[in-house]
């Protein structure tokens, strides 16, 4: 039975690593999109386009919430499945 538990633990760890990588990519995409929205907001503010400013502020708040959610998911994964040290380096 110990072999099955160990195999399950390895599979869980591999799955956590996969999702950690997926979420890392998603986080990078969200951060990039957020930076673009902030630049657009600044340009809209400078141009005095209040309609665009309101829309962009809402979009930025949504993007920030999405980013917080992704960071929370990564933190939860790290808490449940700490990353093993990379033995190939060093």
């Amino acid at each position: 039975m110990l072999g099955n538990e160990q195999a399950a633990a390895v599979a869980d760890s591999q799955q956590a690593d996969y999702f950690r990588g997926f979420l890392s990519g998603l986080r990078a995409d969200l951060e990039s999109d957020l930076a673009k929205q902030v630049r657009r907001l600044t340009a809209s503010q400078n141009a005095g386009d209040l309609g665009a400013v309101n829309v962009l502020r809402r979009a930025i708040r949504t993007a920030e919430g999405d980013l917080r959610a992704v960071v929370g998911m990564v933190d939860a994964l790290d808490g449940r499945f700490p990353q093993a040290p990379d033995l190939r380096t060093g």
Side-chain angles (χ1 to χ4, degrees):
M1 203 49 130
L2 184 59
N4 288 340
E5 290 175 11
Q6 189 174 20
V10 168
D12 287 346
S13 179
Q14 289 173 337
Q15 190 173 31
D17 288 342
Y18 167 81
F19 280 109
R20 194 178 284 116
F22 173 79
L23 291 170
S24 176
L26 182 58
R27 179 181 181 174
D29 291 344
L30 287 169
E31 288 172 340
S32 175
D33 290 344
L34 184 59
K36 288 175 190 173
Q37 289 175 342
V38 168
R39 285 192 300 271
R40 289 175 57 202
L41 174 64
T42 301
S44 295
Q45 287 172 326
N46 290 338
D49 187 353
L50 297 181
V53 167
N54 290 333
V55 169
L56 287 165
R57 283 183 178 158
R58 256 190 311 274
I60 288 170
R61 282 193 300 272
T62 299
E64 288 170 340
D66 292 346
L67 189 54
R68 278 191 303 274
V70 168
V71 169
M73 287 183 234
V74 172
D75 289 346
L77 275 174
D78 288 345
R80 175 69 174 90
F81 302 99
Q83 284 183 290
D86 188 356
L87 301 176
R88 295 172 292 176
T89 62

